[in-house]
Amino acid sequence: MNHTVVPGEPIGRLSESWRHCVGTGRLNLALRADYQDSLAMVQRDIGFRYIRGHGLLSDDMGLHRVSGGRVRYSFTYVDQVFDRFLELGLRPFVELGFMPTALASGEDTVFWWKGNITPPTDPDEWAALVRALLRHLIDRYGLDEVRTWPIEVWNEPNLVNFWKDADQEAYFRLYETTARTVKDVDARLQVGGPAISPGSDEWWAPFADFVTRRDVPIDFVSRHAYTSGPAQHVPFGTYQTLTAPELLLDQFDAPRRHLAGTALAGLPVHITEFNSSYRPDNPIHDTAYNAAYLAPVLTGGTELVDSYSYWTFCDVFEEENVPTSLFHGGFGLLTHRQVPKPTYHLYTFMARMGSHVLARGDDHLVCATDDGRVTVLAWQPVGGTDAPDALERHEVRLSVPLTGPRAFVRRERVNEHDGNAFGAWRELGRPRSPDRRTIEVLRDCARPAVEHRSAAVEGGRVLLDLALSRHEVTFVELIPVEPEEHVGLDDRRLLGGSDDRLVAEHER
């Protein structure tokens, strides 16, 4: 097999769209210690820019209160949540939903925590709530800051689960009322939608027609992307088929295709949720397969959309009630108690890639840093349910440009065994409520395997032969080395010093 020759000059910059936003469980959960510890860890290792979640206006956030016929807006929880986000370097990607009970026109709800999905009884009262919220946020955080926060109207109104009868016209009316209210507060606040789910692209044409015909403000469009089939339920879990991961990229590109030629063409596109499965109890999320499956999506989506938000950053998430086991198929990059899953490492690897793209391939991304390092992200391609089973071994062979006489080559691996706490959990007997020591063991087993070596740079290149095991994602960092002279040092005099690395350069 020949080596793929990586160009010495960049072909572009690596967009930050992959970490522009991340998803979260309902915002009330942000008050919990486990949630805050997990978010701090994610920000330390990955560094997302925005965070989006449901339930900002739901009753458990206490924003809209009625007593004795009088309305009071209480920002006690909103302030705590948003303060903490900003302290961690995250800005809110504001989703307006669900309906406060006192404003709701019906009793239809979603999830075990009963987010109300009905339109407001009085659009003017809804507008007053939105106006009060935005004015408070501006007073607290400053107008210039809040102008950077996208404001999304509702969540998946095309589904009866999230919007009463999936009534399109009712959603359009809600969007218009909300968008005009946002702009009344400040014309430079960003508002958008319709936050539709996969399989609903027939909404684009009427939505574009509605906002254009009525001159309704819109600053961005949003959509969700998943590639899983119908749910196959088992007790406390779900299995689903998966289509090829490239279909996620096709979904990312769908808004631009459907809006071409409309007044909405050219608007920023935000994929405000994506993952393999849309179920919070599908074990695929816990696996190395999920990381390999999403690797070409994470690397390939950077040029398609302005953001694509992984759903979600941790398993502190309760749509289907409180999880019954540490590993339960949750969406999170982290389990409860901060145990990293393989997909977490995919994101941490991306966070360490250089900003200058040298090469892209079906199984690799190569970048360069400003200080002369070269980074490689490589993965074993997997194709979903109908694809052949992944082989036990996958070869990636690259000729990588590098300066200097030698290179320090450091590699981290995540696969079915290495960096895989889910695999260790199964070997431990699948404890539903592991004790403190077992949690520590799982965290240890979640660390990627690390190897390193010295390599010659010949003709300005390093030959990199990577053998990837089944479902592996691997990260390689090549650092130029200029050996320094240490007069009098001769490592051959060390006991056991038979390795060439132990001979000082000037003594060779």
Side-chain angles (χ1 to χ4, degrees):
M1 182 187 297
N2 294 325
H3 288 82
T4 298
V5 178
V6 175
E9 294 297 322
I11 59 175
R13 291 187 66 86
L14 184 64
S15 166
E16 291 279 296
S17 56
W18 66 272
R19 64 173 167 190
H20 185 82
C21 187
V22 71
T24 171
R26 75 184 192 276
L27 294 188
N28 176 274
L29 298 172
L31 301 169
R32 299 188 186 179
D34 187 12
Y35 178 108
Q36 295 189 21
D37 290 346
S38 296
L39 191 55
M41 178 175 169
V42 164
Q43 286 304 96
R44 180 196 70 203
D45 292 345
I46 302 170
F48 291 103
R49 310 308 192 223
Y50 288 83
I51 187 166
R52 171 191 176 271
H54 305 322
L56 174 61
L57 306 182
S58 293
D59 289 350
D60 64 357
M61 286 296 286
L63 180 56
H64 183 270
R65 304 292 296 278
V66 179
S67 178
R70 299 182 66 89
V71 174
R72 174 178 290 180
Y73 303 117
S74 171
F75 302 102
T76 304
Y77 281 0
V78 173
D79 291 347
Q80 290 183 49
V81 170
F82 283 10
D83 284 358
R84 186 58 178 150
F85 287 166
L86 291 165
E87 287 170 2
L88 291 172
L90 279 159
R91 287 170 161 154
F93 195 119
V94 179
E95 178 201 305
L96 295 178
F98 292 110
M99 193 61 60
T101 299
L103 279 181
S105 59
E107 298 181 355
D108 301 75
T109 62
V110 66
F111 307 138
W112 81 279
W113 48 272
K114 300 188 183 305
N116 191 286
I117 61 167
T118 66
T121 53
D122 185 340
D124 290 338
E125 288 192 29
W126 166 263
L129 171 62
V130 172
R131 187 177 298 109
L133 171 64
L134 294 178
R135 286 176 174 167
H136 172 78
L137 296 177
I138 290 168
D139 288 344
R140 188 173 184 86
Y141 303 110
L143 180 58
D144 288 343
E145 173 64 30
V146 180
R147 280 174 174 169
T148 68
W149 302 0
I151 300 166
E152 187 179 41
V153 182
W154 214 256
N155 175 77
E156 298 187 353
N158 62 291
L159 296 180
V160 295
N161 312 65
F162 291 105
W163 183 241
K164 174 69 171 175
D165 299 327
D167 187 329
Q168 190 177 90
E169 289 302 319
Y171 173 74
F172 290 175
R173 291 192 297 271
L174 182 80
Y175 180 83
E176 180 174 11
T177 297
T178 308
R180 295 195 188 283
T181 301
V182 170
K183 295 298 186 178
D184 284 346
V185 174
D186 181 78
R188 290 173 57 187
L189 293 176
Q190 305 172 53
V191 65
I196 53 177
S197 71
S200 56
D201 287 326
E202 70 279 1
W203 272 57
W204 287 117
F207 181 69
D209 175 71
F210 176 83
V211 297
T212 303
R213 177 167 38 85
R214 295 185 58 82
D215 195 25
V216 180
I218 185 163
D219 299 297
F220 65 88
V221 294
S222 59
R223 186 193 194 273
H224 299 167
Y226 296 95
T227 45
S228 48
Q232 305 160 29
H233 295 288
V234 297
F236 301 104
T238 301
Y239 294 98
Q240 294 167 286
T241 57
L242 288 180
T243 57
E246 291 74 20
L247 290 180
L248 274 173
L249 297 176
D250 186 66
Q251 291 182 48
F252 287 8
D253 196 41
R256 296 200 193 279
R257 293 198 311 270
H258 287 279
L259 294 173
T262 74
L264 277 57
L267 286 179
V269 176
H270 296 291
I271 306 299
T272 49
E273 291 181 23
F274 91 95
N275 207 320
S276 51
S277 165
Y278 60 81
R279 291 287 310 186
D281 53 1
N282 187 332
I284 194 66
H285 297 131
D286 300 334
T287 65
Y289 186 98
N290 202 63
Y293 181 88
L294 292 179
V297 179
L298 202 61
T299 59
T302 54
E303 305 306 312
L304 293 177
V305 290
D306 295 87
S307 74
Y308 41 116
S309 178
Y310 188 83
W311 192 253
T312 59
F313 81 87
C314 81
D315 278 350
V316 182
F317 187 93
E318 298 179 354
E319 288 183 356
E320 295 293 320
N321 213 315
V322 178
T324 60
S325 177
L326 179 71
F327 282 100
H328 58 275
F331 289 120
L333 295 169
L334 295 170
T335 70
H336 288 81
R337 311 287 291 277
Q338 301 85 55
V339 178
K341 302 180 187 181
T343 307
Y344 183 84
H345 297 305
L346 170 64
Y347 268 86
T348 65
F349 294 165
M350 275 291 285
R352 291 153 58 196
M353 296 294 288
S355 58
H356 307 285
V357 177
L358 298 180
R360 295 178 182 270
D362 292 337
D363 57 4
H364 65 271
L365 172 69
V366 184
C367 294
T369 66
D370 291 331
D371 61 0
R373 292 176 292 119
V374 174
T375 55
V376 178
L377 181 67
W379 59 90
Q380 182 190 49
V382 296
T385 302
D386 293 334
D389 288 342
L391 300 177
E392 292 300 321
R393 182 183 176 93
H394 177 73
E395 300 281 349
V396 178
R397 307 188 74 192
L398 303 171
S399 170
V400 180
L402 201 72
T403 59
R406 299 196 66 80
F408 178 76
V409 182
R410 183 179 184 275
R411 179 180 179 183
E412 297 182 41
R413 312 166 62 110
V414 173
N415 50 47
E416 287 296 327
H417 181 269
D418 300 319
N420 192 332
F422 180 61
W425 177 75
R426 288 179 289 180
E427 294 166 356
L428 284 163
R430 303 174 185 259
R432 288 195 293 270
S433 299
D435 59 22
R436 185 181 298 273
R437 175 56 186 151
T438 303
I439 291 287
E440 291 173 353
V441 168
L442 289 170
R443 287 175 181 160
D444 285 342
C445 293
R447 293 192 178 96
V450 178
E451 59 189 63
H452 56 84
R453 64 184 176 89
S454 177
V457 179
E458 299 179 350
R461 292 193 165 270
V462 175
L463 297 182
L464 202 59
D465 293 317
L466 304 175
L468 278 64
S469 63
R470 197 161 179 259
H471 304 156
E472 180 165 317
V473 176
T474 197
F475 174 79
V476 183
E477 184 178 31
L478 295 95
I479 303 173
V481 172
E482 291 286 350
E484 296 187 24
E485 183 177 352
H486 293 263
V487 177
L489 179 66
D490 183 356
D491 289 339
R492 289 172 296 190
R493 299 176 62 180
L494 295 173
L495 294 177
S498 60
D499 192 317
D500 282 347
R501 291 176 302 172
L502 297 177
V503 179
E505 192 70 26
H506 72 284
E507 299 288 350
R508 291 182 188 275

